[in-house]
Amino acid sequence: MKRAFVFYLLSTGCFLLLSAQQVGLVLSGGGAKGAIHIGVIKALEENEIPIDYIAGTSIGAIVGSLYAMGYTPEDMLNLLLSEDFYYWQTGKVEEYYQYYFRKAPEDPAFVRFNIPLRDSIVDLQKSLLPNSLINPIQMNQAFMQLYAASTAQCRGNFDSLMVPFLCVSSDVYNKRPIIFRDGDLGDAVRSSMSFPLFFKPILKDNIPLWDGGIYDNFPVRPMQQAWQPDVIIGSQVAGIDTTPPDKQNLYGQLERIVMQSTNYGLNEADGILLNFAPTNVNLLDFDKAQMLYDVGYQTTMQRIDEIKSRVSRRVPQTAVAERRQAYKAALPDLRFRNIYISGVTDAQKAYIESQIHHGKNQYFTIEDFKQTYFRILTNSKIKEILPHAQYDPENKVFDLYLDIKIENEIGISFGGNISSMSANQVYFGLNYQTLQPVAAQYNFSMQLGNAYNNVIFAGDWELHKAKKPMSLSLLLVYSAQKYFEQKKLFINNDLSALINKKENFARLGLGFPTNNNSKIDITAAYGYLEDLYFERNDLIEYDKSKYSLGNLGAIYQKYTLDARQFPISGKNYQLAVNYVFGNENYQPAQSENRLSKKPKQSYFQTYIKWNNYMELSRKFNLGYLIEGVMSNKKMWSNYTASILQAPGFSPTPHSQLVFNEAFHANQYAAGGVIPIWKLNNTFHLRGDFYGFMPLRPILRDNNAAIYGNYLENPAYMGEISLVAQLSFMSVSLYANYYSYPRNNWNFGLNIGYLIFGTKFIK
């Protein structure tokens, strides 16, 4: 009798469990508006409404998958607001992972494209068009990091996640939705949110899969077909907008073009529909996640009685927390051992393996991989790395598979500058890289303009078989710069002074990385420099100073600035030591004194620069700059030659175009502050306020140069700029003032990048 009673209780319990009311949650696509889904989930959990199944499209797939993997609503909201998520959805690389060792010198290019070394016109057309507006470099590694452990734990069956899950993607080739319930969880979610043009698609069986919202942006039917829940709760944030999209709204127009008609309704018999229609929220406005989360939570709480009337079953929050804790405890650690590389030749594979620094049977973490991943991708020949983690349950470790895409192509770049001053420049550059037999890159560039002209050839060969990373470089430079001053500087009449400076030099270098953001270069250079100038105000023919100089130097650099010009965050530290030796050949213009002078000298020079930007608040940043030079340099043949060859302080684009003798000295200390008001993501208002103090100023004694008293003749400059930092160039409207000459005010407009090439000596 007792045994029969126990059997009855067990049978009844199993029947009740199997027949218990099941609830499915359906989450629509909608970009950043999907943060509303998290608020909905929070309200349901607080009121003990069960979530037995979850289906999502696009952002709904991201939120749904995170919940299915044991993320709490708070975890999900924090992720959307985190710096990590910002980098993932913008494609930018964090300061910590930027590998400065392979970073090319800054140039004024604002258009770059690659020409494949093949005959196919189709390949050429593909190279000229971007694959996506957002670089996939971050998403490729982030989705593996987020989803690999759960893919391993569920063995590729999404029903075995903490909450059974599915998502929808789109096969535009066969014009049909694809339902993902198994496979690689990261690939499934990634394909579901790959909105055309913004993100690259995922390939499955060689067919590109795009955003699931194209064919089914609200997967109620897949939910019903998969699990037949008793009640469906639908969170719909995409909406049906019948108004024409703003012509300036690229996402809105694309959405109308690619998205097919979706039924956002939910039959009353099937469940409850939560409709949301937030305005002024674009695809990537994830900085509004907190506000949208609150909307989802508050709206759901307003309808919670209605939901409770339809869902009688309750699941205590403690039970959900215990299930979540048990699920997370069963996840394997994301630890790797073996690496398998595909898509490259044997020589290219050898180079890539040398960058990984991974020994056989040596374990490494996801953090180890990320540093290597971003380091390898700094080689522009490597277009993309698709990482996948495959779990080995016997050894409880992951194997890492890297599918690498490499192109044999020539890089071409155009750019320059348009200025209200005499600084209209055109820039052209060529780049070619190879990974075999050694990793090498070759660059040719030239600038043409009325203020500056140069031609540069650079070669860099990475010695990847050495025990420590190092590179050998060769730099050949020709440059000519003109300074055409409207103010009186060297002459005492009202005519403008014209200065021409030319440099021709060759430099060999040996470089070593010190960490991701910094490096050391040891250099040896020899060059011929020439200055043309008017030493006296009664001359109409140039004086000439020609220099034959050698330069042995070492420089340490740390660089993480966020922009080539007008940065608002990051650091730029430099410490350079140079030993310079050689002679000047001075040829005066005076007809009565044609004999040239050839003074010789050798000297040491130390240069330091400390430039840093800090975020004070969401709207304000503050930068500061400290710069200094010390040397035992002597004077050259005359005052003008000495001041022209003295190091100068030119922290703004405008100050690079004018030669202001008040800001040149053989020994000086300079610095200032850069307050920045961020108006929005594009515009900022900045101030540049600097002081310059020569240790001993260079003074004129007739035509000779002498040192003045210590710490006399300080100089000041200040500039206010309204800057538009576009993705491909900067535009600035500025007003500035220099303490010398008197009443030295300047106003102007600058479009593009005013970036000059490498100099022989700082």
Side-chain angles (χ1 to χ4, degrees):
M1 182 71 177
K2 183 176 181 181
R3 181 176 299 175
F5 180 70
V6 171
F7 176 78
Y8 168 77
L9 289 178
L10 290 174
S11 300
T12 303
C14 291
F15 173 78
L16 291 174
L17 181 62
L18 292 173
S19 62
Q21 191 180 40
Q22 300 291 295
V23 179
L25 178 64
V26 176
L27 308 177
S28 78
K33 291 179 283 189
I36 289 173
H37 298 323
I38 304 174
V40 171
I41 293 172
K42 175 66 173 175
L44 295 177
E45 273 201 358
E46 280 188 357
N47 287 274
E48 301 184 346
I49 305 297
I51 300 174
D52 300 296
Y53 311 103
I54 195 162
T57 295
S58 196
I59 186 64
I62 294 176
V63 173
S65 64
L66 293 174
Y67 186 75
M69 294 192 305
Y71 279 65
T72 67
E74 291 79 11
D75 291 337
M76 290 187 282
L77 179 61
N78 289 336
L79 179 63
L80 293 191
L81 292 172
S82 69
E83 281 192 356
D84 283 343
F85 193 82
Y86 166 78
Y87 288 115
W88 297 344
Q89 54 102 5
T90 60
K92 297 180 179 180
V93 178
E94 300 95 313
E95 176 181 308
Y96 176 74
Y97 295 111
Q98 295 173 16
Y99 194 47
Y100 185 55
F101 179 57
R102 290 205 194 97
K103 182 178 175 62
E106 299 289 11
D107 61 46
F110 48 79
V111 175
R112 303 180 194 273
F113 57 90
N114 299 306
I115 302 296
L117 297 179
R118 298 187 292 269
D119 296 329
S120 171
I121 297 298
V122 174
D123 289 332
L124 176 59
Q125 292 173 338
K126 287 180 179 179
S127 70
L128 297 178
L129 297 174
N131 291 317
S132 60
L133 292 178
I134 296 174
N135 192 329
I137 181 174
Q138 284 281 9
M139 285 191 177
N140 288 346
Q141 64 85 22
F143 274 72
M144 183 193 74
Q145 180 180 348
L146 275 176
Y147 293 104
S150 285
T151 299
Q153 190 273 345
C154 73
R155 296 176 183 262
N157 179 2
F158 301 169
D159 279 359
S160 298
L161 295 167
M162 188 191 90
V163 177
F165 166 78
L166 69 80
C167 64
V168 181
S169 185
S170 296
D171 174 1
V172 297
Y173 180 78
N174 295 298
K175 295 181 173 54
R176 63 191 177 100
I178 301 294
I179 311 301
F180 279 100
R181 295 186 62 190
D182 54 30
D184 186 290
L185 183 58
D187 283 353
V189 176
R190 171 79 178 276
S191 67
S192 182
M193 52 73 61
S194 294
F195 190 83
L197 189 59
F198 281 83
F199 305 108
K200 287 189 69 173
I202 288 292
L203 292 178
K204 183 178 182 182
D205 300 327
N206 214 30
I207 293 176
L209 299 182
W210 296 95
D211 192 298
I214 296 175
Y215 295 121
D216 189 352
N217 205 30
F218 193 47
V220 171
R221 186 175 179 183
M223 164 71 76
Q224 292 171 326
Q225 292 175 337
W227 299 298
Q228 299 88 41
D230 300 292
V231 179
I232 292 176
I233 299 173
S235 177
Q236 188 278 113
V237 301
I240 305 173
D241 189 358
T242 58
T243 61
D246 189 324
K247 64 181 181 180
Q248 301 298 326
N249 186 344
L250 176 62
Y251 171 69
Q253 295 183 61
L254 277 172
E255 188 176 31
R256 299 301 177 84
I257 293 171
V258 303
M259 294 297 189
Q260 306 297 309
S261 177
T262 293
N263 180 11
Y264 289 105
L266 182 61
N267 292 332
E268 186 176 350
D270 295 327
I272 298 171
L273 177 63
L274 301 174
N275 249 319
F276 301 91
T279 58
N280 299 320
V281 181
N282 292 319
L283 175 70
L284 301 176
D285 285 346
F286 287 99
D287 57 332
K288 300 177 181 178
Q290 181 67 59
M291 178 270 290
L292 295 164
Y293 167 88
D294 293 338
V295 169
Y297 177 79
Q298 293 165 6
T299 303
T300 306
M301 291 299 289
Q302 291 169 5
R303 298 186 60 183
I304 201 66
D305 289 340
E306 178 187 355
I307 295 171
K308 286 182 175 180
S309 69
R310 294 293 302 273
V311 181
S312 57
R313 177 168 152 248
R314 299 288 178 267
V315 176
Q317 284 185 275
T318 54
V320 175
E322 289 173 0
R323 184 157 52 103
R324 180 177 288 126
Q325 184 177 1
Y327 174 82
K328 288 185 173 182
L331 291 174
D333 293 331
L334 198 54
R335 188 178 59 149
F336 302 93
R337 185 172 61 182
N338 298 315
I339 300 174
Y340 301 95
I341 299 172
S342 61
V344 296
T345 66
D346 290 341
Q348 293 167 344
K349 181 179 179 182
Y351 166 76
I352 293 167
E353 287 177 337
S354 74
Q355 303 301 301
I356 295 174
H357 302 298
H358 167 62
K360 189 176 181 181
N361 294 323
Q362 177 184 344
Y363 297 104
F364 60 100
T365 66
I366 186 65
E367 181 60 31
D368 297 327
F369 164 70
K370 286 175 67 176
Q371 293 194 37
T372 299
Y373 172 81
F374 289 115
R375 185 181 304 132
I376 295 173
L377 281 166
T378 54
N379 189 310
S380 62
K381 190 175 183 68
I382 300 175
K383 296 303 176 186
E384 190 173 11
I385 298 177
L386 296 172
H388 282 89
Q390 186 169 316
Y391 190 58
D392 177 359
E394 182 178 347
N395 295 300
K396 298 182 178 179
V397 70
F398 287 88
D399 290 332
L400 183 62
Y401 288 80
L402 303 179
D403 182 15
I404 298 180
K405 301 184 183 303
I406 290 180
E407 293 290 345
N408 189 26
E409 56 193 13
I410 294 178
I412 299 179
S413 54
F414 294 97
N417 190 77
I418 300 174
S419 173
S420 57
M421 289 189 62
S422 55
N424 297 320
Q425 302 291 128
V426 174
Y427 171 84
F428 171 75
L430 292 173
N431 170 270
Y432 178 72
Q433 295 195 1
T434 178
L435 296 181
Q436 50 185 356
V438 296
Q441 62 174 320
Y442 306 94
N443 295 279
F444 171 83
S445 66
M446 60 188 302
Q447 284 198 64
L448 301 174
N450 51 357
Y452 181 76
N453 294 272
N454 82 340
V455 177
I456 296 177
F457 171 80
D460 189 275
W461 299 268
E462 189 169 339
L463 309 176
H464 61 268
K465 292 186 178 180
K467 292 183 179 180
K468 296 287 185 180
M470 64 177 65
S471 66
L472 180 67
S473 63
L474 171 66
L475 184 68
L476 303 176
V477 176
Y478 163 79
S479 68
Q481 185 168 3
K482 296 179 180 180
Y483 298 96
F484 193 78
E485 276 296 308
Q486 301 296 329
K487 302 290 184 179
K488 294 181 291 184
L489 289 181
F490 301 130
I491 55 179
N492 297 320
N493 57 26
D494 292 330
L495 297 176
S496 298
L498 188 63
I499 304 168
N500 289 269
K501 293 178 67 66
K502 298 179 181 179
E503 295 189 348
N504 303 276
F505 65 89
R507 175 183 294 168
L508 285 173
L510 190 63
F512 309 87
T514 53
N515 58 37
N516 275 5
N517 305 138
S518 62
K519 65 177 182 177
I520 292 175
D521 287 303
I522 299 172
T523 61
Y526 195 84
Y528 296 95
L529 287 62
E530 182 179 81
D531 292 340
L532 305 179
Y533 52 88
F534 296 112
E535 174 57 18
R536 283 173 34 189
N537 61 3
D538 59 345
L539 300 177
I540 59 173
E541 186 179 349
Y542 284 119
D543 282 40
K544 298 179 182 179
S545 287
K546 298 182 178 181
Y547 305 88
S548 299
L549 300 175
N551 184 1
L552 302 177
I555 180 170
Y556 167 82
Q557 302 175 78
K558 180 181 178 69
Y559 187 95
T560 60
L561 296 181
D562 68 333
R564 286 176 275 175
Q565 196 166 279
F566 304 116
I568 64 173
S569 67
K571 305 176 181 67
N572 182 12
Y573 303 152
Q574 296 182 33
L575 175 62
V577 179
N578 292 277
Y579 172 66
V580 183
F581 55 93
N583 66 277
E584 173 194 8
N585 184 353
Y586 172 52
Q587 300 174 2
Q590 296 172 289
S591 60
E592 68 274 13
N593 184 17
R594 290 293 184 179
L595 295 177
S596 63
K597 301 176 183 179
K598 297 184 178 181
K600 296 182 179 181
Q601 66 167 301
S602 60
Y603 62 91
F604 288 95
Q605 178 174 297
T606 300
Y607 169 77
I608 187 170
K609 181 176 183 178
W610 196 276
N611 188 201
N612 192 15
Y613 293 86
M614 304 167 291
E615 185 174 59
L616 302 182
S617 69
R618 188 168 173 268
K619 286 292 184 181
F620 291 95
N621 282 21
L622 179 64
Y624 63 85
L625 171 64
I626 299 171
E627 187 174 302
V629 170
M630 289 296 295
S631 78
N632 61 341
K633 186 178 183 180
K634 299 176 183 178
M635 301 300 182
W636 291 111
S637 59
N638 60 67
Y639 169 75
T640 307
S642 299
I643 201 74
L644 286 176
Q645 284 297 313
F649 179 62
S650 52
T652 64
H654 181 271
S655 63
Q656 297 180 55
L657 295 173
V658 297
F659 190 93
N660 192 324
E661 58 186 318
F663 293 88
H664 285 256
N666 289 330
Q667 309 90 19
Y668 70 78
V673 295
I674 308 123
I676 298 166
W677 179 23
K678 295 173 287 187
L679 303 175
N680 54 37
N681 291 334
T682 301
F683 289 92
H684 72 262
L685 187 67
R686 68 189 291 131
D688 288 81
F689 307 106
Y690 304 105
F692 176 88
M693 174 61 73
L695 180 63
R696 297 185 70 184
I698 300 173
L699 303 179
R700 180 189 290 273
D701 183 12
N702 292 320
N703 289 339
I706 61 172
Y707 279 122
N709 296 326
Y710 286 98
L711 303 180
E712 72 172 356
N713 294 353
Y716 311 94
M717 71 172 76
E719 182 170 289
I720 301 292
S721 307
L722 177 63
V723 178
Q725 199 68 272
L726 307 177
S727 60
F728 58 96
M729 71 164 64
S730 65
V731 180
S732 64
L733 187 66
Y734 64 85
N736 62 41
Y737 173 77
Y738 298 87
S739 60
Y740 177 87
R742 295 180 60 183
N743 299 318
N744 190 355
W745 289 92
N746 303 274
F747 305 89
L749 174 68
N750 205 67
I751 302 173
Y753 294 111
L754 194 64
I755 299 174
F756 298 151
T758 304
K759 292 185 176 181
F760 182 70
I761 311 170
K762 169 56 186 176

